[in-house]
């Protein structure tokens, strides 16, 4: 289960990206998440995925 609050979700996802996965697609596949929906949810809170850094900012 992933956090619902966007700021906590941001922290959760970025931690997973830093510690366990090489990119967003891999993370989403492993956790069974819809990548587009995740991007939209975080974008609505003002966070976008930085491909070069491999994190949301």
């Amino acid at each position: 289960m992933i956090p619902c609050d966007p700021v906590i979700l941001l922290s959760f996802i970025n931690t997973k990206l830093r510690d366990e996965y090489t990119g967003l697609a891999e993370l989403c596949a492993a956790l069974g998440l819809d990548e587009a929906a995740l991007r939209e949810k975080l974008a609505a809170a003002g966070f976008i995925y930085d491909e070069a850094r491999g994190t949301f900012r």
Side-chain angles (χ1 to χ4, degrees):
M1 181 166 210
I2 64 168
C4 292
D5 179 271
V7 175
I8 295 171
L9 178 60
L10 171 72
S11 178
F12 174 82
I13 294 296
N14 278 344
T15 298
K16 292 282 190 187
L17 286 167
R18 182 189 69 223
D19 295 345
E20 299 175 34
Y21 301 101
T22 59
L24 186 58
E26 181 187 5
L27 178 145
C28 289
L31 298 180
L33 301 175
D34 179 314
E35 183 176 341
L38 178 61
R39 285 179 183 256
E40 285 178 28
K41 182 168 186 160
L42 289 172
F47 305 111
I48 59 166
Y49 186 64
D50 182 335
E51 298 282 343
R53 293 179 181 238
T55 61
F56 281 90
R57 299 176 51 113

